[in-house]
Amino acid sequence: QLQLVESGGGSVQAGGSLTLSCSASNSYWCMMWFRQAPGTEREGVAAVHSDGSTTYADSVKGRFTISKDNAKNTLYLQMNSLKPEDTAMYYCAAAIFEARCTVVAGRSPDYYGMNSWGEGTLVTISS
């Protein structure tokens, strides 16, 4: 089973930047970032397919960038212009086999069919 370990979370002021990393134990078909704020559903934030195509939630388009280093089996999420509403636990997820690898608003995590999940890294944005 694919093992995922996130890192890079922390506390920054609004307008700042953070880069999250997710180290994977092997290769994948699809990798995604999700986030969950207290009292809310976990939501898809960004996805990258093995062919390099990416999709984003509307709330982060233009501010977040998902990327991957295939040689290192590492996924990244560069987050710029951070807002207090970005405060959440951020989770890395991956699918070894075919899954829905496109962020769709309002869909639960189960919709995407990810096989493995990391334990999350906390991002806190202060105003």
Side-chain angles (χ1 to χ4, degrees):
Q1 183 174 350
L2 192 65
Q3 292 183 329
L4 305 171
V5 179
E6 303 99 335
S7 62
S11 298
V12 298
Q13 289 189 324
S17 298
L18 280 174
T19 300
L20 305 183
S21 299
C22 174
S23 177
S25 58
N26 49 26
S27 59
Y28 57 89
W29 190 86
C30 169
M31 292 193 81
M32 296 185 66
W33 287 101
F34 290 78
R35 69 184 181 186
Q36 187 170 18
T40 69
E41 296 285 336
R42 191 172 298 188
E43 63 175 355
V45 174
V48 58
H49 189 279
S50 57
D51 66 7
S53 59
T54 60
T55 57
Y56 298 90
D58 286 344
S59 59
V60 306
K61 279 181 182 176
R63 300 188 299 121
F64 290 11
T65 302
I66 189 171
S67 62
K68 55 188 176 72
D69 184 329
N70 291 329
K72 296 181 179 179
N73 282 337
T74 300
L75 179 73
Y76 302 99
L77 185 68
Q78 173 68 43
M79 305 185 294
N80 298 327
S81 302
L82 284 161
K83 305 175 181 180
E85 50 263 44
D86 294 319
T87 294
M89 187 71 80
Y90 283 72
Y91 299 90
C92 174
I96 299 175
F97 305 109
E98 186 170 349
R100 294 187 174 97
C101 200
T102 301
V103 176
V104 178
R107 290 293 188 173
S108 70
D110 289 344
Y111 165 83
Y112 297 95
M114 298 292 108
N115 304 118
S116 296
W117 291 81
E119 294 189 352
T121 185
L122 182 63
V123 172
T124 304
I125 310 303
S126 58
S127 58

